[in-house]
Amino acid sequence: HGLWLSMIPGALLQHNFEVYKALLSEYHNNIEQLEIQAKDSSGEENENGDSKQSPASNRSGSVGKLGMSVGISFMIGPMIAAVASPTF
């Protein structure tokens, strides 16, 4: 009976990781577009030698941080449940 009840949170929270990845991707796309608009309005020319990171590396860094936080939560969650619930 407990196994069936444990499926409820997983069913409710399915695909949240994919939603967060898509949200971060759109966030970085919007930032890139705003930076291009700011450069166009200020009249700056694009320099090839600037030290800014590319949008793809920023996006992959954000998704990597999201993955690390999910991995840590998978490790810490059962540990907290074992401490909080003696029957776990």
Side-chain angles (χ1 to χ4, degrees), residues 65-80:
K65 289 173 190 171
L66 179 64
M68 289 297 292
S69 65
V70 168
I72 289 172
S73 68
F74 284 153
M75 292 185 283
I76 292 176
M79 184 175 62
I80 291 174

Side-chain angles (χ1 to χ4, degrees), residues 16-31:
N16 278 349
F17 187 68
E18 286 82 12
V19 170
Y20 287 140
K21 285 194 301 186
L23 181 67
L24 284 173
S25 177
E26 287 297 317
Y27 172 73
H28 284 289
N29 286 340
N30 289 343
I31 287 177

Side-chain angles (χ1 to χ4, degrees), residues 28-88:
H28 284 289
N29 286 340
N30 289 343
I31 287 177
E32 181 183 4
Q33 290 174 356
L34 288 173
E35 287 177 350
I36 290 172
Q37 288 175 356
K39 283 181 183 179
D40 288 344
S41 66
S42 66
E44 293 179 12
E45 294 184 14
N46 293 337
E47 298 177 4
N48 292 334
D50 60 355
S51 62
K52 282 184 60 174
Q53 292 181 340
S54 69
S57 65
N58 287 335
R59 188 178 304 125
S60 63
S62 294
V63 172
K65 289 173 190 171
L66 179 64
M68 289 297 292
S69 65
V70 168
I72 289 172
S73 68
F74 284 153
M75 292 185 283
I76 292 176
M79 184 175 62
I80 291 174
V83 170
S85 174
T87 61
F88 183 66

